[in-house]
Amino acid sequence: MILGSFSFLLFLFAVIIILVICQYIPIKMAERRLIDIAVLTTCSYIYVLVLHWSYALCQLFVTGLCYFAANFYEKTRKKQCIYFSIVILVGVLCYFKYTNFFVNSIRAVAGLDSVTLNIILPLGISFYVFSAIAYLIDILRGDYLAEKNFLDFALYISFFPKLTAGPIVRGKDFFPQIKEYRGIQWDAFKVGIQIFVFGLFKKIVLADHLGVFVDDVFRTPTAFNTGTVVLAAISYSLQIYFDFSGYSDMAIGVSKILGFDFKPNFNLPYISRNVSEFWKRWHISLSSWFQDYLYIPLGGNRKGKVRTYINLMLVMLISGLWHGAGWTFIAWGALHGVASCVNRAFGEKLKALGSWVNGAFTFIFVTLFWVVFRADSFPTAVKVWTGMFTAHTGINQPYTWSFFAIACLIVGTIVAWRHSKETGKKDRAGLLIIEGFYPVLDLSKLWNQVAFFTFIGLTFIMGYFGNTAFIYGAF
Amino acid sequence: MNLKKIVIHLIKIAVAFLCSLIILSAFALVYKHYPPQYDNSSGSTDYRNQANGFMSNMKEGHAWFRYDKNGYNNAVADDEIDVLLMGSSHMEARQIGSHQNTGALLNQYGFRTYNIGISAHDLIRCVANYKNALEEYNPQRYVIIETASVDIEVDRMREVLSGEYSKVKVSNHNSLLSKIRDIPGISLLYIAINEYIMRDFSRKDASFTQGYEQQEYEQTLTEFLSLLKDGGSNIGVIIFYCPPEEVQADGSIRYLTDEIKLSTFKKVCENLDICFLDMTAPFSELYNKKCILAHGFSNSEIGTGHLNKYGHAVVAQELARLMGKEEE
């Protein structure tokens, strides 16, 4: 049951119906809130239980551990219990996600054949473990008090729209909304459904179509001519963006329908003028997590140049490892680390080249880095890079969906630029800050309804319905 | 909210829905639109498209054309024909211009060809309809049948042999519901939503000839293909095989053909004096010399799906060469 699938829509419909029925139960507001939260938590557990019972068990373990650790800390002020819980959480994540990788890396060094241990990776573990760690550190820092209501806390960890691939929501953003929860509101519903369809369009029309071409070229890079390999690399940059931002939009839309507000997780990352800016615009909830809970505690940029570079490298390496258990992901993280260090060292000088040149270079580098991220091995990545930079013949595939996706991206950016011009927000250098926004319409107007219905129709008509999964769902 | 407001709201939604349907229908006419299909009383094919029906397709390939007066894809059609071309969606060629398909190209080579290729008409259906097609179109020199497989379903062959063959069912266009479904926007949405729902359910593929001994298979195939010779007509029969292809990791190409089935098919054709044309070598040459695959389009998976214009060109060239050689 992936987000946006037919079975998910049925599930969501059932949840909405139950919540609407709950609104008509003649009880006090506080009691109704309790019932609503119980319904949402139960449904979130059902969501994972239908996939595998062990997913729910793992989620329950993480929930229980953090809940009791935080409350125990608040009573006793013993920091050790928080540290110990964080170590266990990291251990759980490592066990499920990295055991096979570590075992096979050691076996490879020892010259032994690789083995696959039968370990099931619980759905969304990377995301909810990071939410849990953030919560414990926030409690330790005294940012807010430990949650006393177990149901509320269980919902924070398990809330189904954000479970599979985030966004990684912070406790300080989520708990106040739970406390003030008022069920499904019609105005929020109208906005949420538009954000959801917007995400669905990105996913099934753009990302999934691009995936067909990217899969073909990355499977057999040597069979294609230079232009096609370059187009495939660009297409993957677009695919992963539309796939993941599409997922995030759907998660944010569904959350909005159910009465929760989450911040956008992407902000036009491909207009970034350097790699550091890229990470402020790409998967914002993860980037800010790494900044707040790893980079800054390591000393950030406060302990001299060398230490800053080490911290940047370390954060990007761990970010790479978080994305996947493989050396290609670590290499991808390392490349971003080096690029971040270069930007740190020469960023001011590079600014002289101008926004357009810096933007183009950033896109080129990010696209080249995505190659190693997408490739199943280093030899494949090298083949793709070689294919991009050496003139050679092969199959020519000017994939039309790639051009359509590029056009969508350009049009979207122009619309965002015009919108940002109206708000007039500028950075310290006086340059306009271009920010993305959701094209939400006022659905009480007839022509807006026409536009929305047409957009839904186009999404389905142009959608790709082959076998696809969310790229970030695997992380 | 009072009742009046709710009614106005619902009317607004209904009007908006209708307006969007009009916009979607206009879009569908350009993006993907197939005309209605009707039962074919002559039996030359199980069904045919609406006469002179307009077709557009941007889902796989890019094509916009009108079917001919009989509902088939022919850019030009003479009353007297030399060659009757039968086959599946590959020959119907909804993915390319109507001047680029095998039938049109054979016409350019000087063979007056009429193409009754139509979707879902694999070799079994073509053989089942062969006699009726011959009667209706009376080709003077050849009947050419396309097949994308040489692994023929035994049970279905037996159905044809025993006369229990069931035709492709097309929807009735007289009911109100079917008339609504024929509206381009609704038709396309119906297909898309159906695909969207079905994605959640897995599909299984099975080998057609599993559980049958080779000898039994060969015997059934012989009896089945003999139907092409039963008419007593002197015209030649050509079956050409377009193998599905796949690009390999090293950049070479692999044909997804069961070699035993292929040699059986060849042998049976030879015994029955049916000309068999295997397109494997010409497709390989096309790829090895020009890096062009015979299947697939710029908006679909590489090397899969239907024959593209290059594939049709090679097929037409080989067929023309074969027919020329036969007549010498």
Side-chain angles (χ1 to χ4, degrees), chain A residues 15 25 56 74 78 86 91 128 159 166 175 208 226 231 250 286 301 335 349 395 404 406 415 458:
Chain A
V15 176
I25 301 173
E74 227 164 56
K78 284 183 179 168
I86 290 172
Y128 67 74
F159 189 47
F175 291 120
D208 288 351
T226 311
L231 186 64
M250 280 193 263
L286 179 74
N301 56 3
L335 287 169
K349 287 176 188 166
I395 301 168
F404 179 67
I406 292 168
V415 171
L458 286 177

Side-chain angles (χ1 to χ4, degrees), chain B residues 311-323:
Chain B
H312 276 277
V314 173
V315 168
Q317 192 185 326
E318 290 301 312
L319 284 172
R321 188 154 56 197
L322 183 70
M323 288 190 286

Side-chain angles (χ1 to χ4, degrees), chain A residues 79-91:
Chain A
K79 288 182 177 178
Q80 291 88 331
C81 67
I82 297 284
Y83 295 145
F84 182 65
S85 301
I86 290 172
V87 169
I88 290 180
L89 287 174
V90 174

Side-chain angles (χ1 to χ4, degrees), chain A residues 4-7 9 204 208 212-213 216 219-220 222-224 394-395 397-401 444-447 449-450 453-454 457-458 460-466 468, chain B residues 9 12-13 15-17 19-20 23-24 27 31 59 62 185 188-189 192-193 195-197 199-200 203 247-251 287 290-291 293 297-302:
Chain A
S5 68
F6 177 67
S7 38
L9 290 190
I204 66 173
D208 288 351
V212 171
F213 172 54
D216 278 336
R219 190 165 46 234
T220 57
T222 48
F224 295 89
I395 301 168
Q397 177 76 340
Y399 193 59
T400 41
W401 285 104
S444 61
K445 290 179 181 163
L446 178 73
W447 289 112
Q449 285 180 8
V450 172
F453 286 148
T454 306
L458 286 177
F460 279 100
I461 286 172
M462 296 170 79
Y464 176 81
F465 299 115
T468 51
Chain B
H9 204 69
K12 232 175 169 181
I13 290 174
V15 171
F17 183 75
C19 289
S20 70
I23 298 168
L24 287 174
F27 176 77
Y31 185 66
K59 256 298 216 211
H62 302 89
L188 203 47
L189 269 176
I193 291 171
E195 282 178 3
Y196 173 68
I197 293 169
R199 183 165 67 156
D200 284 8
R203 294 162 214 169
V247 182
Q248 297 286 92
D250 61 359
Y287 181 70
K290 296 180 181 170
C291 295
L293 291 155
F297 300 86
S298 65
N299 54 354
S300 65
E301 211 172 321
I302 290 152

Side-chain angles (χ1 to χ4, degrees), chain A residues 335-355:
Chain A
L335 287 169
H336 270 278
V338 171
S340 299
C341 292
V342 169
N343 179 55
R344 186 96 209 158
F346 305 106
E348 286 303 316
K349 287 176 188 166
L350 290 172
K351 271 184 187 168
L353 294 171
S355 297

